[in-house]
C-alpha cells in the first residue's frame, strides 16, 4: 500500500467480524507513518473496554487522534503524503452526528468532497448495518439509512472495498 494509489480503502463488516484487525494489518504493512482517528466515545464501561482493547491490539507506532464529530477537519489537519490514516469507525461518527443534531448530509458532503484531495492513504472501517431486520423506531431507521448512504458514497470514491465476515476478507472492489 502506498499513498499514491487511487483512493481510500473501505472495510465493512458486522460487529466483531474482524474488520478493525484486518484494517490494522493493511496499515501496518504500508510502510507509512501510521495514524489512527478514533470516532468512538466512551459512554460506558463496555465502550471503555472496547477502546482499550483496540488501543492494546494496535500497540506502539501509532499516533492516535480522538475526534467524534469533526472528522473531515481532523483528516485535513493530519493529511500528508507520508501517512496512512485509519478511521475507525464511520458508524460511530454517524451516531455522534445524530446525537448532536448535526446536519448529517452536510457532514457527509464535506467528507466525500475532501476524499479526492487527500494526500495520505485513508482506510475507513465501518459496520454494515443494512443486512438485518427493519429497525422498529425512526431514529434507528434513520441511522441505518444514513450509514447505508455514507457507505455508498465512500465506496464510490474508494480504490478498494472489503467486506469482512468471520475474520475473512471478501474483496468487493479494486
Amino acid at each position: 500500500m502506498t499513498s499514491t494509489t487511487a483512493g481510500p480503502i473501505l472495510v465493512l463488516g458486522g460487529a466483531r467480524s474482524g474488520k478493525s484487525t484486518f484494517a490494522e494489518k493493511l496499515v501496518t504493512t504500508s510502510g507509512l507513518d501510521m495514524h489512527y482517528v478514533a470516532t468512538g466515545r466512551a459512554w460506558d464501561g463496555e465502550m471503555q473496554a472496547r477502546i482499550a482493547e483496540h488501543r492494546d491490539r494496535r500497540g506502539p507506532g501509532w499516533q492516535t487522534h480522538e475526534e467524534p464529530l469533526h472528522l473531515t477537519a481532523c483528516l485535513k489537519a493530519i493529511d500528508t503524503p507520508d501517512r496512512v490514516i485509519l478511521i475507525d469507525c464511520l458508524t460511530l461518527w454517524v451516531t455522534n452526528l445524530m446525537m448532536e443534531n448535526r446536519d448529517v448530509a452536510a457532514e457527509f458532503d464535506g467528507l466525500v468532497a475532501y476524499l479526492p484531495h487527500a494526500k495520505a492513504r485513508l482506510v475507513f472501517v465501518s459496520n454494515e448495518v443494512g443486512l438485518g431486520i427493519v429497525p422498529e423506531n425512526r431514529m434507528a431507521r434513520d441511522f441505518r439509512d444514513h450509514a447505508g448512504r455514507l457507505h455508498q458514497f465512500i465506496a464510490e470514491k474508494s480504490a478498494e472495498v472489503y467486506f469482512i465476515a468471520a475474520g475473512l476478507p471478501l474483496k468487493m472492489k479494486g
Side-chain angles (χ1 to χ4, degrees):
M1 174 193 310
T2 67
S3 62
T4 59
T5 55
I9 295 173
L10 175 60
V11 179
L12 295 169
R16 296 293 191 201
S17 63
K19 62 191 173 296
S20 293
T21 302
F22 177 80
E24 290 162 8
K25 287 178 184 173
L26 286 176
V27 170
T28 57
T29 61
S30 71
L32 298 170
D33 185 26
M34 300 182 300
H35 286 251
Y36 184 93
V37 176
T39 62
R41 290 176 164 168
W43 296 108
D44 57 26
E46 187 269 337
M47 193 61 176
Q48 290 170 350
R50 283 180 183 256
I51 290 169
E53 176 189 336
H54 277 242
R55 189 176 295 125
D56 291 345
R57 186 180 61 232
R58 283 193 311 272
W62 292 80
Q63 173 89 27
T64 300
H65 311 268
E66 295 182 5
E67 184 46 67
L69 292 171
H70 307 286
L71 179 58
T72 306
C74 178
L75 293 175
K76 288 178 180 179
I78 62 175
D79 186 12
T80 62
D82 62 332
R83 293 181 174 165
V84 59
I85 304 169
L86 174 57
I87 301 93
D88 199 353
C89 87
L90 289 175
T91 45
L92 289 175
W93 180 56
V94 171
T95 299
N96 296 334
L97 294 174
M98 291 179 69
M99 296 302 288
E100 297 287 333
N101 294 314
R102 302 290 292 263
D103 183 341
V104 174
E107 296 286 348
F108 290 3
D109 288 347
L111 177 60
V112 172
Y114 160 70
L115 295 180
H117 307 287
K119 297 177 214 81
R121 186 64 192 262
L122 305 176
V123 179
F124 292 98
V125 174
S126 199
N127 292 289
E128 178 50 64
V129 296
L131 298 175
I133 61 172
V134 176
E136 69 175 19
N137 65 72
R138 181 176 178 142
M139 184 175 190
R141 287 189 299 273
D142 287 348
F143 169 78
R144 178 209 51 201
D145 294 349
H146 288 315
R149 279 191 290 277
L150 181 59
H151 294 160
Q152 290 179 58
F153 298 151
I154 301 295
E156 180 183 337
K157 301 289 185 186
S158 292
E160 299 174 33
V161 177
Y162 294 90
F163 185 80
I164 311 300
L168 301 172
L170 170 64
K171 192 170 191 178
M172 301 173 69
K173 180 180 179 182

